[in-house]
Amino acid sequence: EAVVSTQSTGEHIYKEKHVGGVTLKDVESHLWVKEFAAFLKKSGKLPIPKWTDIVKTATFKELPPKDNDWYYVRSAALLRRVYLRQGVGCGALRKIYGGRINRGSAPSHHKPASASVIRHCLKGLEEMKLIAKHPDGGRMITSAGRRDADRIASQVMSSSIVE
């Protein structure tokens, strides 16, 4: 049985009703990340470093992020990546969040993101017991992290069906 929701652009999206419950994989990533970032901010348990207002997220960036809540958004996005791929480490996440550096007239190259920002976000999520260190290296999601992620996903799915 399909449920139709209409977005502001007027297009229809068909979503099936989930029998076993909604997981993070069933919802759109940007909606989930926004909701989970709000959840992290509201909980107040994620430790925020003092340097978040002045630090750049990568060496190839010219300015720090404009959004004051960027640290919550990055932490939520990292949790989503760990959920989707268990055992992912800081080096792989640096590649994922990296980008292109402008070298003037020379050709552009890929540069990784800041390891410090990613590592501090992962440590904060570990303190909240949402992720843990994987025995083979990298990080894995805990049962509490999976529960919270899927709970937020079901909220996102129900709000997108209502709209």
Side-chain angles (χ1 to χ4, degrees):
E1 183 176 334
V3 177
V4 180
S5 68
T6 308
Q7 291 186 334
S8 60
T9 57
E11 60 188 38
H12 296 288
I13 297 176
Y14 295 94
K15 297 181 179 174
E16 296 182 16
K17 286 189 177 177
H18 295 278
V19 178
V22 179
T23 66
L24 181 141
K25 295 179 182 182
D26 300 325
V27 296
E28 294 184 36
S29 60
H30 66 282
L31 296 175
W32 184 88
V33 167
K34 193 165 43 169
E35 283 294 318
F36 201 81
F39 164 74
L40 289 174
K41 185 174 182 179
K42 190 172 72 173
S43 73
K45 295 179 182 176
L46 184 67
I48 304 295
K50 297 174 187 169
W51 44 256
T52 55
D53 55 341
I54 57 172
V55 74
K56 299 188 302 180
T57 56
T59 57
F60 59 89
K61 300 279 189 183
E62 291 186 11
L63 296 170
K66 293 178 184 173
D67 184 14
N68 292 333
D69 297 335
W70 72 268
Y71 194 81
Y72 297 107
V73 174
R74 178 59 59 98
S75 297
L78 287 169
L79 183 86
R80 181 180 172 275
R81 288 287 181 173
V82 172
Y83 183 105
L84 295 174
R85 185 172 166 212
Q86 303 284 324
V88 68
C90 193
L93 292 168
R94 286 185 72 192
K95 286 182 209 164
I96 291 168
Y97 290 100
R100 188 169 54 185
I101 184 168
N102 182 3
R103 304 190 320 144
S105 59
S108 299
H109 288 294
H110 183 270
K111 289 286 261 188
S114 170
S116 177
V117 170
I118 291 173
R119 195 171 50 251
H120 278 86
C121 288
L122 292 174
K123 283 182 181 179
L125 292 171
E126 275 185 45
E127 286 181 26
M128 290 182 69
K129 306 276 192 267
L130 298 176
I131 62 173
K133 292 201 174 178
H134 197 278
D136 297 331
R139 301 296 203 292
M140 64 181 190
I141 194 148
T142 61
S143 60
R146 186 175 300 278
R147 182 191 65 229
D148 287 345
D150 291 342
R151 184 172 47 79
I152 298 293
S154 65
Q155 291 173 5
V156 169
M157 179 69 87
S158 64
S159 68
S160 66
I161 288 175
V162 170
E163 291 174 354

